[in-house]
Amino acid sequence: MQDREKFPYEDIINMPHHRSGKHPHMSMGERAAQFSSFAALTGHKEAVREKARQTEQRVELDEDQKAYLDKKLWEIRQGRHKGKETEFTVFYPDKTKSGGEYIKVTGVVKTVEAYEKVIRLENGENLKISDIIDIR
């Protein structure tokens, strides 16, 4: 009886490993995948990455910069840039957090919609005049 207490599974310890006739045998990789870690905090990595992503703050133009832009916009409306590639530095607000980014956009001006306050480029892009900080 003392031996029985020491080895309670002695009757099955040396039996051959059972293989199901019904289910296919799992590979070691499949078995390991069952016990691998799981994402307990789904979306946590993405949230941390989003929080760490930097945005730029919108620049407030001074009076000289505003006057320069007004002059450039007037030249564009008069057709002085007609058929020429023009480079605009445009602020694009971020969709998920405060701030945004400044992007240089190059294109040929198609029209200036004064009522809508938009510059339409021939490539189909529309630039909000209020978001433009530089024109070259």
Side-chain angles (χ1 to χ4, degrees):
M1 186 90 164
Q2 286 181 353
D3 287 343
R4 205 68 161 142
E5 289 176 26
K6 286 183 182 176
F7 302 107
Y9 301 107
E10 187 175 353
D11 57 331
I12 62 170
I13 198 107
N14 292 321
M15 290 183 77
H17 180 71
H18 172 73
R19 288 203 179 215
S20 172
K22 199 179 218 182
H23 303 287
H25 183 69
M26 265 191 188
S27 71
M28 290 298 250
E30 291 171 325
R31 287 183 57 79
Q34 289 184 18
F35 302 102
S36 66
S37 64
F38 64 97
L41 300 173
T42 304
H44 183 258
K45 279 185 183 178
E46 291 78 16
V48 169
R49 193 176 303 122
E50 175 63 21
K51 185 75 172 172
R53 187 173 56 87
Q54 298 291 315
T55 58
E56 297 177 77
Q57 295 305 310
R58 184 185 292 264
V59 174
E60 282 298 319
L61 301 176
D62 64 26
E63 294 305 314
D64 291 337
Q65 292 168 319
K66 289 178 184 177
Y68 171 79
L69 279 180
D70 285 342
K71 179 183 172 216
K72 287 294 193 179
L73 286 169
W74 182 82
E75 289 175 3
I76 290 171
R77 284 190 199 119
Q78 298 303 310
R80 293 189 184 170
H81 290 246
K82 191 169 182 121
K84 294 181 187 174
E85 287 244 325
T86 306
E87 181 183 271
F88 301 89
T89 303
V90 183
F91 180 78
Y92 286 95
D94 195 278
K95 291 181 175 141
T96 58
K97 60 193 325 185
S98 67
E101 67 179 322
Y102 285 97
I103 298 176
K104 292 189 184 297
V105 178
T106 304
V108 177
V109 175
K110 182 177 179 182
T111 61
V112 178
E113 305 292 338
Y115 181 73
E116 295 175 39
K117 298 182 181 177
V118 170
I119 295 176
R120 299 190 196 286
L121 303 180
E122 287 185 355
N123 65 8
E125 194 156 359
N126 298 322
L127 309 176
K128 286 175 57 177
I129 292 173
S130 61
D131 290 338
I132 298 171
I133 65 159
D134 193 21
I135 301 172
R136 302 263 173 215

